[in-house]
Amino acid sequence: MTQLFQDVRKKLPLKPHWMRDAVFKEMKVYWEFVEFKTKSTRNKDNRNSNASASLRTGGCVPHRLIYKRMKEATGKDPFVSKFYF
């Protein structure tokens, strides 16, 4: 939904066919508020910043791999309470 509204704002003043006139008029007024523009700018800067971003893209680590690593580190099977909690 967010991307949908971003696309609408990029094409202003054209109204999309799926949006009613009253809603479009109200959204244009909302998009002109200083609060909205401030929040939009701040969020845009946050999205473009990689300063504190998580760059881990490997996905989830399977349980069996965690179990294996714990076993290798301690030399014995981990307790269920240590494994899950």
Side-chain angles (χ1 to χ4, degrees), residues 11 26 43 46 49 59-60 65 74:
K11 296 178 182 176
E26 191 173 326
N43 290 339
N46 288 341
S49 170
C60 295
L65 183 56
T74 62

Side-chain angles (χ1 to χ4, degrees), residues 63-77:
H63 283 86
R64 65 183 178 278
L65 183 56
I66 295 171
Y67 186 88
K68 180 182 175 187
R69 288 177 183 169
M70 290 174 77
K71 186 174 180 175
E72 288 173 356
T74 62
K76 55 186 175 183
D77 291 337

Side-chain angles (χ1 to χ4, degrees), residues 1 4 6 18 20 24 27 31 33 35-37 40-42 46 50 55 61 68 70-71 78-79 81 84:
M1 188 88 140
L4 193 62
Q6 286 176 357
W18 50 267
R20 293 185 178 186
F24 183 65
M27 292 305 296
W31 290 330
F33 283 152
E35 293 86 3
F36 173 80
K37 289 184 177 190
S40 177
T41 302
R42 181 182 64 234
N46 288 341
N50 285 332
L55 300 178
V61 178
K68 180 182 175 187
M70 290 174 77
K71 186 174 180 175
F79 290 109
S81 61
Y84 285 106

